[in-house]
Amino acid sequence: RGLALPLCNKSGQVCLMWGLYETYYQKLPSRVSNPTQRTVLAACLTGVSEAALGTPFERGQSLLLTPAFHGKIKNTLDLRHHLTSVSLWYRGLSLILIRNCTTNCLFFLLRSPLRDLLPAGSTKQARFLNDFICGAMLGGLNSSLIYPVNVVKSYQQKQISRQDQSLLSSCKTVLRERDYKLHKLYYGVQLNFTRALITWGIINATYEFCMSLLQPIANK
């Protein structure tokens, strides 16, 4: 149930993340000469672009996976009868912007330094493993760091009413439901961490592998 939405969302967001980051980095004005500043700005612009594409998909997925709506919302196409305005489709956008910009900045700032700390690989298999480890470590770090943001985002997106709660109000509600205990905001983080390790390890290693194949062709 709802399988098509995360498939489309993840594919699109990963394509945007890698493709737009390099584009934004190169197109930034020359007066932004500091590499760290360019990385942060490019990563944030990429995060905004990802949010513009991905928020409606995440919104639909949240509703389809909510047991309370299983009898009310039949399938993905049926969502259009319940989300009848742009604001309803983009509920949770502010939290997704926070999540995307934060994780993108950390990923692109730490990817190269972290990879340099790993033993240099002399074979394709060793380099692939290094890239997998680097991506897995950053994915696990980002997913755990930003997990409470996703908890509040999920709460907002599971609401189908037209009245939209403010970010502060949503945070208060979630904290109240979790008895104002920080560790309860991290329920389920272990599964999320494991998924991020595998997913981002594969994404990073596959990207670097594909680039190693395509770069010589592009340079001809």
Side-chain angles (χ1 to χ4, degrees):
R1 181 177 171 88
L3 178 62
L5 292 175
L7 282 176
C8 294
N9 183 40
K10 193 65 178 178
S11 300
Q13 284 194 324
V14 170
C15 291
L16 286 177
M17 176 182 169
W18 291 109
L20 289 183
Y21 171 76
E22 294 293 341
T23 301
Y24 285 137
Y25 190 93
Q26 298 298 329
K27 297 294 184 180
L28 283 171
S30 57
R31 62 175 177 272
V32 186
S33 56
N34 185 286
T36 300
Q37 292 177 352
R38 292 183 74 89
T39 297
V40 169
L41 286 173
C44 287
L45 289 171
T46 303
V48 172
S49 302
E50 290 177 71
L53 170 73
T55 300
F57 290 95
E58 293 191 42
R59 170 70 158 145
Q61 181 188 359
S62 295
L63 291 176
L64 286 172
L65 294 180
T66 301
F69 300 129
H70 283 184
K72 189 174 183 180
I73 302 175
K74 298 177 182 179
N75 50 44
T76 302
L77 293 177
D78 194 38
L79 285 167
R80 70 185 188 277
H81 299 303
H82 303 275
L83 303 178
T84 55
S85 67
V86 174
S87 62
L88 287 175
W89 279 102
Y90 276 86
R91 182 168 292 175
L93 176 62
S94 58
L95 287 164
I96 291 176
L97 287 171
I98 293 171
R99 180 197 66 191
N100 287 0
C101 292
T102 302
T103 54
N104 280 359
C105 286
L106 289 174
F107 187 87
F108 287 113
L109 284 172
L110 298 178
R111 190 166 68 105
S112 294
L114 181 58
R115 196 180 189 285
D116 292 340
L117 293 176
L118 298 173
S122 56
T123 64
K124 289 183 179 180
Q125 292 82 356
R127 289 191 291 272
F128 187 90
L129 180 60
N130 282 349
D131 292 328
F132 181 90
I133 293 172
C134 178
M137 292 175 68
L138 289 174
L141 169 67
N142 277 337
S143 69
S144 300
L145 179 66
I146 214 71
Y147 192 76
V149 175
N150 278 331
V151 171
V152 181
K153 186 268 298 183
S154 295
Y155 167 78
Q156 281 193 336
Q157 292 192 327
K158 287 176 183 177
Q159 311 304 314
I160 204 168
S161 63
R162 292 182 176 277
Q163 185 177 359
D164 190 10
Q165 277 187 292
S166 67
L167 176 56
L168 182 58
S169 177
S170 297
C171 290
K172 288 180 177 178
T173 301
V174 171
L175 285 171
R176 186 170 60 252
E177 291 177 350
R178 308 293 174 105
D179 299 325
Y180 297 97
K181 294 180 179 179
L182 182 61
H183 72 275
K184 290 190 175 183
L185 286 175
Y186 280 90
Y187 280 169
V189 71
Q190 296 90 345
L191 287 174
N192 195 66
F193 177 80
T194 304
R195 181 188 67 177
L197 284 179
I198 298 170
T199 301
W200 282 102
I202 293 173
I203 289 173
N204 192 58
T206 303
Y207 170 79
E208 293 293 349
F209 176 74
C210 291
M211 287 299 294
S212 68
L213 295 179
L214 296 174
Q215 198 67 46
I217 299 175
N219 291 335
K220 288 183 180 180

